[in-house]
Amino acid sequence: MPPPLLAELPTELLNQIVCHLETAGALFHISITCKRLYQYIEQNGYRTFVRSRFPSIQTPPYWKDAAHALTTLSRAWDKKAFVARSIYPENDVTQLPRRRARQLPKRGQRGQTMGYQPVIDCYAEQTGNSWFSRDEILAWGAGAELNLRLKGMGEKVENQWQVSDNNERALRYDQFHHRSKWLTYKDDTHYDGRDDITSVNLLKPWQKPADGAEHVIIGRASGELVHVSLSNRKAECKIVARFATGDRRIQSAHISTAREPLLAACLSTGSVVVYPVFPCSLDTKPYSNLPVTPVTTSGRAWATTFLRPERLAIGIGPAKFPLHIYDVSNSLGSSKPLRKITVSADSSTSDTSTSSVYAIVPLDPSSQASGTAGDVFMSGWYDGSIKIHDLRSPESYVNRFIDPVDTYSAVYSLLPIGRERFVAGGARHSIIKIFDFRMTGNRRYFAANAEACSAEKADETPRPLACCQYHSDMKDDRPGYNVFLDPSNQRRRAESPVYSLASAAPYSPHIYAGLEGRVVQLDVVEVMDRFPDLAFGGRNWTSGRAEGGDLEERYDPDQRALKLAALEHTTTGSMKLRVQAELRKRGEGFKGWDERWAWGSRGVEY
């Protein structure tokens, strides 16, 4: 009996085969062999590929586009391919609560002697029946003012762009045909400095009322904590709830992901208070008060994060136990933590050293071994370490990451990208630090597999994971790296901490970083890629590589792109600084790096 043809195999066996395919291109080539395999790949193949190669990233169910977006994004991360620029309200801006629209000229950021410290939140919401049809909502505090950007993209927005005139296109659309609308909120009673915004939390689509407005919970240095509704359609704002804080400074705040969310806020007195967000009231009282730091010490509560709807993590310090876990599932709350986590790895030791925790973020469970939501999370510490915690383990932490370049600089912010990699914001030099979560042999997708082998002659070194030295390095040796978001000669700007990090979704190619007095948008994209993510107009590219002015027109039409600098982590030898060339120029052509990277002009070594 002859063996069955590939097209004759049942779907279950084809799924098993797809799990062993290393690139999305392999699926495409199979799909063009016959009608039966084309139908399988379109209906099941891309879904199986995405779920097997990117198990920790949840995406909308448009699997072919998801495969393209995730593989493109993974390659851009591996090659350190970025385009960065400072963003601020411009062009189509509506000031609230004055109800009048105005146009702002393109300009730099205004500021006081010391710039504001941005706190950022954002999310994405699907608005149509395609991968690209979504809205991205971005909000941050700029001193006493709230900036809110409403960005729309997709087929509906593209159709609107097609029928608009040149003036409207210049006012409301960017070079990728995305529609942007800005709202700013600052009433006459708020002053920069005294009323600076210290926390911003956007209510997500499943949490906010169905009134067409954006709902934001804003905390201020003056102690004000309010729930504000901002309507773009009506050009109006309204305070729908106030939370009683006793006029104590809001250090930070966070809302849970539940449909009926809770709000936790760190106050200047060293306590954390928990409120119900709904029903709305102009005098909402806390139902739980957690005195996490004694009044007689100099410590304070720095950060609070809901690991899951009923579990709260609080970072304090300086303290021997700077990380507390609480259960807030009932209205009485619990004045005693479920667990206190020490500075040292072994919680049973008598180590008396102290530290502080400035950032806490949960990690979404991506497998059965991950347990339930909230069991695994990460934290950023004063001593420069980033720790992974598993509440099922008796140890204080199960993994620890250290930056060998900027070892002892405090970590102010964290942003996980699924369970693949994470970004950490340092306390100086405007540095973001990128690390890979995955252990050797546990990485599901390698973008380098779609590239040709290196031209080096094979030696006798055994390489069980790859066919040549380049592919072996990409799979087995994945050092982290640091990116300097503002390598300028202005000392105050260059020395800024990265106060906050945010992204609308793990599959989004946009990262937002809050530096002193400004917010930087970091687009993770290869500018030489002929078929980039759809967020960069991937379907509008013609065949052939774009060059020179074409690249600038697409990625930097207003000449605002920053020239970043980067250092790769290593514990042996010197580390040489690399810098980005202009968009129209090529760099040194380092293997495994984006084409824009070149050696620093002065050959700086560390």
Side-chain angles (χ1 to χ4, degrees):
M1 182 178 178
L5 299 176
L6 182 63
E8 296 174 349
L9 295 177
T11 300
E12 293 78 10
L13 291 182
L14 289 175
N15 288 342
Q16 293 298 318
I17 293 173
V18 168
C19 288
H20 293 277
L21 298 180
E22 296 182 336
T23 66
L27 274 73
F28 170 76
H29 291 126
I30 291 175
S31 72
I32 61 177
T33 59
C34 69
K35 182 177 180 180
R36 155 79 170 112
L37 289 177
Y38 172 81
Q39 292 174 341
Y40 163 75
I41 294 297
E42 291 289 322
Q43 296 172 8
N44 295 285
Y46 287 113
R47 177 180 60 185
T48 301
F49 179 83
V50 168
R51 288 181 172 177
S52 62
R53 295 295 173 179
F54 302 94
S56 66
I57 298 181
Q58 303 299 315
T59 67
Y62 307 105
W63 302 110
K64 185 176 182 178
D65 288 337
H68 173 227
L70 293 178
T71 53
T72 300
L73 184 61
S74 180
R75 182 175 66 247
W77 276 114
D78 287 347
K79 290 193 170 185
K80 299 93 174 168
F82 307 112
V83 178
R85 65 180 58 80
S86 296
I87 58 174
Y88 45 79
E90 57 182 336
N91 296 334
D92 190 8
V93 184
T94 297
Q95 289 181 305
L96 298 175
R98 297 173 181 171
R99 295 190 182 185
R100 67 180 180 88
R102 62 167 180 163
Q103 296 183 19
L104 293 182
K106 295 181 179 179
R107 55 180 172 79
Q109 288 295 293
R110 71 187 190 282
Q112 301 175 346
T113 304
M114 180 176 179
Y116 61 83
Q117 301 176 9
V119 283
I120 310 173
D121 195 15
C122 61
Y123 72 86
E125 180 182 11
Q126 290 297 127
T127 57
N129 297 321
S130 68
W131 170 268
F132 187 43
S133 297
R134 60 176 179 260
D135 288 345
E136 183 184 272
I137 313 301
L138 170 68
W140 78 85
E145 181 178 83
L146 179 76
N147 292 334
L148 183 70
R149 188 185 70 183
L150 314 174
K151 176 183 283 190
M153 59 191 80
E155 296 174 356
K156 181 178 179 180
V157 176
E158 178 67 24
N159 292 336
Q160 294 172 348
W161 182 89
Q162 294 289 347
V163 299
S164 59
D165 57 34
N166 290 335
N167 290 333
E168 186 176 2
R169 290 178 181 180
L171 178 65
R172 293 188 170 90
Y173 297 86
D174 64 16
Q175 68 271 29
F176 303 117
H177 304 178
H178 302 164
R179 184 186 63 241
S180 293
K181 171 67 179 180
W182 290 89
L183 302 177
T184 64
Y185 170 72
K186 178 184 178 182
D187 63 32
D188 294 335
T189 64
H190 293 143
Y191 295 92
D192 289 335
R194 185 194 69 184
D195 298 298
D196 277 1
I197 295 174
T198 56
S199 70
V200 172
N201 287 275
L202 287 164
L203 268 63
K204 305 307 183 286
W206 61 90
Q207 296 174 324
K208 63 183 181 180
D211 56 3
E214 292 301 323
H215 289 253
V216 194
I217 296 180
I218 305 170
R220 298 182 182 272
S222 58
E224 182 182 72
L225 187 59
V226 294
H227 174 179
V228 180
S229 168
L230 303 171
S231 174
N232 173 41
R233 180 171 55 87
K234 299 179 181 179
E236 66 181 19
C237 61
K238 179 182 179 182
I239 295 178
V240 297
R242 290 184 180 273
F243 303 91
T245 65
D247 294 330
R248 293 167 291 180
R249 174 187 171 91
I250 309 299
Q251 186 68 36
S252 66
H254 192 247
I255 61 172
S256 67
T257 57
R259 186 173 295 276
E260 296 288 336
L262 297 176
L263 168 67
C266 295
L267 304 182
S268 58
T269 53
S271 62
V272 174
V273 289
V274 182
Y275 306 87
V277 174
F278 299 108
C280 296
S281 168
L282 293 180
D283 187 23
T284 304
K285 304 293 186 182
Y287 76 59
S288 183
N289 191 324
L290 310 175
V292 293
T293 58
V295 178
T296 56
T297 70
S298 59
R300 68 174 66 180
W302 294 103
T304 181
T305 300
F306 281 95
L307 303 179
R308 60 177 183 234
E310 72 281 359
R311 180 175 291 175
L312 187 66
I314 302 171
I316 67 172
K320 180 183 177 182
F321 297 90
L323 191 54
H324 295 188
I325 312 297
Y326 284 86
D327 180 7
V328 292
S329 58
N330 58 70
S331 60
L332 297 177
S334 175
S335 60
K336 294 184 179 180
L338 296 175
R339 185 171 176 180
K340 292 184 178 182
I341 295 177
T342 64
V343 175
S344 59
D346 185 359
S347 58
S348 63
T349 63
S350 57
D351 186 4
T352 59
S353 58
T354 63
S355 188
S356 300
V357 172
Y358 296 138
I360 307 168
V361 292
L363 298 179
D364 293 332
S366 58
S367 68
Q368 293 181 353
S370 300
T372 58
D375 283 342
V376 183
F377 63 99
M378 60 193 308
S379 59
W381 293 62
Y382 171 77
D383 62 7
S385 62
I386 301 110
K387 298 177 181 178
I388 310 298
H389 309 274
D390 189 337
L391 295 179
R392 298 166 298 176
S393 170
E395 303 299 328
S396 295
Y397 58 88
V398 296
N399 202 356
R400 184 169 178 254
F401 294 86
I402 294 291
D403 170 18
V405 179
D406 189 33
T407 306
Y408 301 108
S409 176
V411 175
Y412 280 0
S413 52
L414 291 168
L415 177 66
I417 311 296
R419 291 263 184 126
E420 299 201 346
R421 52 182 60 84
F422 68 88
V423 185
R428 57 180 183 174
H429 304 320
S430 64
I431 284 180
I432 58 171
K433 311 174 182 188
I434 293 91
F435 296 86
D436 200 307
F437 270 127
R438 298 157 293 182
M439 296 184 295
T440 301
N442 194 36
R443 189 174 182 180
R444 303 291 184 88
Y445 179 77
F446 295 91
N449 285 335
E451 302 178 28
C453 290
S454 59
E456 302 172 0
K457 294 182 178 180
D459 54 30
E460 301 300 324
T461 305
R463 303 186 185 95
L465 295 178
C467 53
C468 68
Q469 185 62 52
Y470 170 61
H471 286 97
S472 178
D473 290 344
M474 293 299 291
K475 292 185 177 183
D476 191 34
D477 182 21
R478 305 187 308 277
Y481 54 96
N482 291 354
V483 177
F484 297 82
L485 294 180
D486 194 351
S488 66
N489 294 324
Q490 301 180 35
R491 181 174 179 82
R492 187 170 190 86
R493 289 184 55 179
E495 289 296 314
S496 169
V498 178
Y499 293 106
S500 54
L501 290 164
S503 180
Y507 52 83
S508 173
H510 308 300
I511 304 293
Y512 302 99
L515 281 67
E516 182 181 324
R518 64 202 184 283
V519 170
V520 172
Q521 176 177 316
L522 193 71
D523 295 334
V524 187
V525 60
E526 293 179 89
V527 297
M528 301 293 184
D529 190 354
R530 288 186 298 155
F531 307 104
D533 187 287
L534 297 181
F536 303 105
R539 284 179 176 157
N540 296 325
W541 278 83
T542 57
S543 60
R545 297 173 69 87
E547 300 289 349
D550 293 336
L551 290 176
E552 290 187 337
E553 182 181 353
R554 178 168 291 273
Y555 290 104
D556 190 26
D558 48 11
Q559 304 295 306
R560 279 163 45 187
L562 303 175
K563 295 180 182 178
L564 306 178
L567 282 172
E568 198 168 48
H569 297 170
T570 179
T571 56
T572 59
S574 61
M575 293 174 283
K576 293 185 178 181
L577 185 72
R578 291 176 170 90
V579 297
Q580 283 184 327
E582 295 179 1
L583 285 173
R584 67 175 64 195
K585 297 181 180 179
R586 301 286 183 87
E588 303 287 344
F590 304 121
K591 193 69 173 178
W593 287 67
D594 182 53
E595 293 172 287
R596 292 180 60 206
W597 289 105
W599 292 122
S601 59
R602 291 185 290 273
V604 180
E605 294 188 358
Y606 290 84

